[in-house]
Amino acid sequence: MAKKTVLAIGIEPSLVDFSAFPGLTAELVTSYIGAQIEKLRAMGYDADSCLIDLGDTAEAVAAAALGAKHYDCVVIGAGLREPRERLLLFERIINLVHLGAPQTRICFNTTPADTAEAVQRWIEP
């Protein structure tokens, strides 16, 4: 039986202003992302990460990742939903997933450290 596939889409941590998120740094978030992808793989998922910029190529990068293979679940990172200025980018990415992978489950993490839990709410490995 094939493994369930997961794509985690989020903002490239080096592009984020962490002043509103005390205790978080680009390095720490990058570490969390890598650890969560590895955790998903250890749990039996075929997991990939897709880090996007703040708009210039975000849709093209996400579309390329979505087109690379079928995904059973797409996780949308918390950094795409907050701060409020990212609402348009968030909507564009959600609509891209909806159009490009209409049968895919969509879930949301609340921090870069709870991606695996978000995926498990929607699909089993």
Side-chain angles (χ1 to χ4, degrees):
M1 180 182 257
K3 292 181 179 183
K4 296 288 182 157
T5 53
V6 176
L7 178 64
I9 301 175
I11 301 293
E12 166 58 50
S14 66
L15 301 175
V16 175
D17 174 5
F18 288 100
S19 61
F21 307 100
L24 288 181
T25 64
E27 295 78 17
L28 183 58
V29 171
T30 299
S31 174
Y32 281 136
I33 292 168
Q36 287 294 297
I37 295 298
E38 288 307 314
K39 181 176 181 178
L40 286 166
R41 290 175 180 158
M43 294 168 66
Y45 295 99
D46 177 5
D48 298 314
S49 177
C50 173
L51 298 176
I52 61 174
D53 65 19
L54 296 171
D56 294 338
T57 65
E59 288 177 88
V61 169
L66 284 165
K69 64 182 174 188
H70 165 80
Y71 286 100
D72 296 297
C73 185
V74 173
V75 181
I76 305 296
L80 266 167
R81 297 187 310 276
E82 292 292 331
R84 183 173 240 175
E85 297 80 41
R86 292 205 190 114
L87 178 62
L88 181 58
L89 177 58
F90 172 64
E91 288 177 342
R92 291 186 352 234
I93 296 300
I94 289 293
N95 281 302
L96 183 69
V97 173
H98 175 66
L99 291 171
Q103 300 303 314
T104 299
R105 298 287 185 193
I106 299 172
C107 62
F108 304 95
N109 64 8
T110 59
T111 74
D114 69 359
T115 299
E117 290 80 3
V119 170
Q120 286 184 299
R121 288 193 298 264
W122 291 100
I123 62 170
E124 296 289 323

